Amino acid sequence: QKEVEQDPGPLSVPEGAIVSLNCTYSNSAFQYFMWYRQYSRKGPELLMYTYSSGNKEDGRFTAQVDKSSKYISLFIRDSQPSDSATYLCAMSASGGSYIPTFGRGTSLIVHP
Amino acid sequence: GAVVSQHPSRVICKSGTSVKIECRSLDFQATTMFWYRQFPKQSLMLMATSNEGSKATYEQGVEKDKFLINHASLTLSTLTVTSAHPEDSSFYICSARDQIGELFFGEGSRLTVL
């Protein structure tokens, strides 16, 4: 079993839909959870960063962590075609010196 | 936000040649940089961790004589793929960690070995 599991998709939704992206993990030591967005042929960019359990909201994006279930989610409201990208979850056990473990990414396609 | 510049973005070379990829942190000092390899529709595979002024730490299964990493300054790390072969063709991405621990990624370099 991989440390971080993420469905590669693709996930295709119409513009304006609410998107739910998810990852599960097996290492209970993970405390820091990140979501990255990667456009085709580009490097990943950090979208959201959360510590421990709970929700965090930033504009149209909401990150949710459920440590008891070892399950994290990224919700995108009012999805736009420009949101079409690969979304990678990442997590680590420690803070400042962390080396994150990445999921394989979910390909999202938002069609007009 | 902080910017990490990676160059070249795309390189095509003949089998047996060596290719150097540069990773620069443009507006911050990065004591630690990371090199990843990414295959199509796959996750980022950490190849090595590079600390300024010391030898890189390679992940299991990554040949250190094949993938030479140099981190000579706080803003520059280089990855040299020596005697490249077609199976080395991939997307290579660097990242740099700033003083508060946040990771910033370069744009990636696509290597094609003919």
Side-chain angles (χ1 to χ4, degrees):
Chain A
Q1 181 191 13
K2 291 184 180 178
E3 272 197 303
V4 179
E5 298 277 2
Q6 187 175 10
D7 188 332
L11 176 63
S12 182
V13 301
E15 184 175 356
I18 296 174
V19 175
S20 173
L21 303 165
N22 312 293
C23 287
T24 59
Y25 62 96
S26 57
N27 188 345
S28 57
F30 286 146
Q31 299 270 17
Y32 296 84
F33 304 91
M34 288 74 69
W35 285 95
Y36 288 84
R37 177 174 62 196
Q38 185 177 21
Y39 290 112
S40 180
R41 302 188 187 89
K42 298 290 186 182
E45 56 177 323
L46 181 66
L47 273 181
M48 302 283 284
Y49 177 95
T50 53
Y51 170 71
S52 196
S53 286
N55 292 0
K56 186 174 182 179
E57 190 173 317
D58 184 2
R60 296 185 296 113
F61 298 89
T62 300
Q64 202 170 72
V65 175
D66 182 350
K67 290 189 68 182
S68 62
S69 301
K70 296 190 179 69
Y71 187 89
I72 69 170
S73 300
L74 177 70
F75 298 97
I76 307 174
R77 291 183 299 280
D78 187 25
S79 56
Q80 304 294 311
S82 57
D83 295 327
S84 299
T86 296
Y87 290 80
L88 299 117
C89 64
M91 44 200 82
S92 69
S94 60
S97 61
Y98 72 88
I99 298 177
T101 300
F102 283 86
R104 63 184 295 183
T106 299
S107 175
L108 172 66
I109 301 167
V110 181
H111 51 87
Chain B
V3 177
V4 174
S5 172
Q6 193 171 336
H7 178 80
S9 59
R10 185 174 296 185
V11 57
I12 301 172
C13 70
K14 292 182 179 179
S15 185
T17 60
S18 295
V19 174
K20 180 186 283 188
I21 301 169
E22 291 187 349
C23 180
R24 293 181 185 272
S25 56
L26 297 184
D27 53 1
F28 66 99
Q29 293 184 330
T31 53
T32 304
M33 289 186 173
F34 304 93
W35 287 96
Y36 295 86
R37 185 173 181 176
Q38 188 178 34
F39 293 102
K41 301 189 188 303
Q42 297 294 319
S43 186
L44 300 169
M45 185 192 80
L46 180 65
M47 298 174 67
T49 301
S50 167
N51 291 298
E52 185 266 337
S54 62
K55 289 184 179 180
T57 302
Y58 290 82
E59 295 299 301
Q60 191 174 10
V62 178
E63 299 174 58
K64 58 182 178 182
D65 295 329
K66 173 77 170 175
F67 300 100
L68 299 178
I69 292 172
N70 184 278
H71 193 162
S73 77
L74 286 171
T75 59
L76 174 65
S77 176
T78 60
L79 167 68
T80 301
V81 183
T82 62
S83 187
H85 288 93
E87 58 266 29
D88 298 324
S89 299
S90 190
F91 193 54
Y92 293 88
I93 306 174
C94 72
S95 69
R97 187 156 61 201
D98 69 8
Q99 287 84 346
I100 62 172
E102 189 169 342
L103 270 183
F104 297 91
F105 284 84
E107 293 280 89
S109 300
R110 182 162 301 282
L111 170 63
T112 302
V113 185
L114 302 176

